[in-house]
Amino acid sequence: MDIDTITEDDMRFNPPRFSENEIAAKVKAIYGLSGLWSTLVGERDQNFRLITDGGQKYVVKIAGPDEDLDVSDFQVQALIHLEKVSPNIPVPRIIRTNAGNCLSSISDSKGVSHALRIVTYLEGIPYGEGNFPDNAHLQKIGAFQGEMVNAMAGFSHHASSHFMPWNLSNGVAVSKDLWAVAAEDVKSLAAPLLPRLRDHVLPILNASPSQVIHNDAHPYNLLRQDIESQDVTGLIDFGDMVYAPIINDLAVMATTFQRKNINDIEIVTNLLIGFHRAHPLTDEQVSLLLDAMILRLLITILLTDIKINMEAMQDPDILTDRVEAFDMLQRICRIDHDGMVNNLRAACGYN
């Protein structure tokens, strides 16, 4: 895909709209499961929680009409890989159909087929709720994600390089067509950044060590036991997974684990220390982290603005994401870039 000719339509999020009864009938027929249904949020998938009469809990996911079946299989095979090579890492497990298949499908009223899969439901409270982690636990969270990178290191799939809007190194953040229709506040803030990001940062970033990464380890996808507990008990939502630079995985965490009145740099540094302890990064990778964070923030603002423009009713969570990303981008633009990079390098033992 030519990033400079990408349009808002290419970035559209289009989850399906099946009724609960339609999904319940299909799941009972092919999985033999039934029970109490409730709706879960989803950006591109339509998601339900199913609690059976026996108390087992599952997540039922129906892919959008634009998602290729190979991409759904990519996500399924990644979970199967993790179950085989790192069974102690707490992620959802794939539930097979009565026929033993990992994936099924359901057709809508227009005859369009949608991939359907079921995974186990992970209990826990997201880090986005309750007490914010202290420095020691931020390092544990970073280490958990570093261990996830290690576990995914041997995994490959032919659909791993599919176009993923949230892949911060794919060039979306510097797309000329998207910036032409961007809101004026972010356009003026980002204008001085874009030439260097496009001509210098992205080529180096895309040449850095890469593999399949989760790409969405934010505070509402990482779980803990309760609102006071700090240890990671689960990682959910593999829908943004993609083959990309490893440092991107840390950049997602570093831009989303933020809290008002808490030092951004201190949070980023502690996540980095933990990640680096579990998955050692090169000096160049560490030096790319701040720029990768900037790319993530730009994409967050661009994509949330697209969602806002396309949706008649504005989700307050989307508006909050936009405000928080813009505020953090402003803060980063005010700091000494080279000084912060050197501080991050020093935290990893690079002088």
Side-chain angles (χ1 to χ4, degrees):
M1 179 175 288
D2 184 351
I3 292 301
D4 281 334
T5 60
I6 199 169
T7 68
E8 289 190 357
D9 284 340
D10 295 315
M11 311 295 283
R12 183 184 296 274
F13 300 100
N14 189 24
R17 293 288 185 269
F18 289 97
S19 71
E20 183 180 301
N21 288 339
E22 288 177 291
I23 300 302
K26 186 70 173 181
V27 167
K28 186 173 183 179
I30 59 179
Y31 286 90
L33 298 174
S34 61
L36 180 64
W37 290 80
S38 57
T39 301
L40 299 173
V41 297
E43 184 178 60
R44 290 182 303 280
D45 296 335
Q46 185 178 11
N47 300 316
F48 295 92
R49 183 176 66 175
L50 170 61
I51 305 177
T52 68
D53 294 337
Q56 294 89 357
K57 296 181 181 180
Y58 303 103
V59 176
V60 180
K61 302 178 72 68
I62 305 96
D66 302 322
E67 180 166 296
D68 192 286
L69 182 61
D70 285 347
V71 174
S72 295
D73 183 67
F74 167 47
Q75 296 166 16
V76 166
Q77 296 304 322
L79 291 175
I80 292 173
H81 167 83
L82 288 171
E83 185 175 7
K84 289 179 179 178
V85 303
S86 297
N88 293 328
I89 293 182
V91 297
R93 303 301 184 200
I94 295 294
I95 302 301
R96 287 167 170 77
T97 68
N98 291 334
N101 299 319
C102 300
L103 266 177
S104 184
S105 64
I106 183 171
S107 296
D108 61 25
S109 59
K110 297 179 180 179
V112 177
S113 180
H114 300 252
L116 184 154
R117 62 189 182 275
I118 298 182
V119 298
T120 54
Y121 179 88
L122 294 190
E123 298 286 357
I125 301 295
Y127 278 88
E129 300 174 7
N131 297 337
F132 192 78
D134 60 25
N135 288 345
H137 286 98
L138 285 169
Q139 291 184 25
K140 285 188 176 182
I141 294 166
F144 176 89
Q145 201 60 26
E147 291 166 0
M148 175 64 65
V149 168
N150 294 340
M152 294 297 292
F155 176 66
S156 63
H157 191 280
H158 60 274
S160 64
S161 296
H162 69 108
F163 176 71
M164 163 49 60
W166 287 105
N167 177 4
L168 60 89
S169 55
N170 65 7
V172 165
V174 297
S175 168
K176 293 177 181 177
D177 279 6
L178 289 182
W179 279 108
V181 296
E184 289 302 321
D185 60 346
V186 68
K187 191 181 294 187
S188 61
L189 183 61
L193 307 174
L194 296 180
R196 190 180 69 86
L197 291 172
R198 184 185 187 99
D199 299 332
H200 177 70
V201 173
L202 279 172
I204 297 174
L205 180 62
N206 282 312
S208 69
S210 301
Q211 64 168 67
V212 173
I213 59 172
H214 179 272
N215 197 44
D216 202 20
H218 61 66
Y220 287 91
N221 281 340
L222 282 157
L223 306 177
R224 52 185 167 177
Q225 185 174 354
D226 53 54
I227 60 173
E228 295 183 356
S229 174
Q230 303 294 354
D231 294 332
V232 180
T233 60
L235 175 65
I236 60 174
D237 194 352
F238 283 67
D240 287 357
M241 188 173 56
V242 69
Y243 183 92
I246 291 169
I247 198 64
N248 292 10
D249 222 23
L250 179 56
V252 172
M253 299 183 75
T255 53
T256 54
F257 267 87
Q258 300 298 325
R259 185 64 59 90
K260 288 183 179 179
N261 303 320
I262 296 181
N263 187 296
D264 292 329
I265 298 175
E266 187 176 356
I267 294 171
V268 173
T269 301
N270 281 288
L271 289 170
L272 168 62
I273 289 171
F275 190 98
H276 181 65
R277 185 182 300 142
H279 180 86
L281 298 164
T282 66
D283 190 356
E284 182 179 69
Q285 285 176 294
V286 176
S287 299
L288 285 165
L289 176 58
L290 183 58
D291 285 322
M293 290 171 58
I294 292 171
L295 288 166
R296 171 71 183 198
L297 292 168
L298 291 175
I299 288 178
T300 299
I301 296 168
L302 286 172
L303 292 188
T304 52
D305 281 350
I306 289 172
K307 290 181 189 178
I308 291 168
N309 291 338
M310 289 182 171
E311 295 180 9
M313 295 184 65
Q314 295 182 358
D315 184 338
D317 290 337
I318 293 176
L319 297 174
T320 299
D321 289 345
R322 208 272 188 194
V323 169
E324 291 179 348
F326 187 83
D327 287 349
M328 187 176 187
L329 183 60
Q330 283 184 309
R331 295 195 299 272
I332 288 179
C333 288
R334 288 195 294 264
I335 66 173
D336 174 8
H337 183 282
D338 291 343
M340 182 172 176
V341 169
N342 285 332
N343 288 338
L344 295 174
R345 292 177 59 244
C348 295
Y350 298 119
N351 298 314

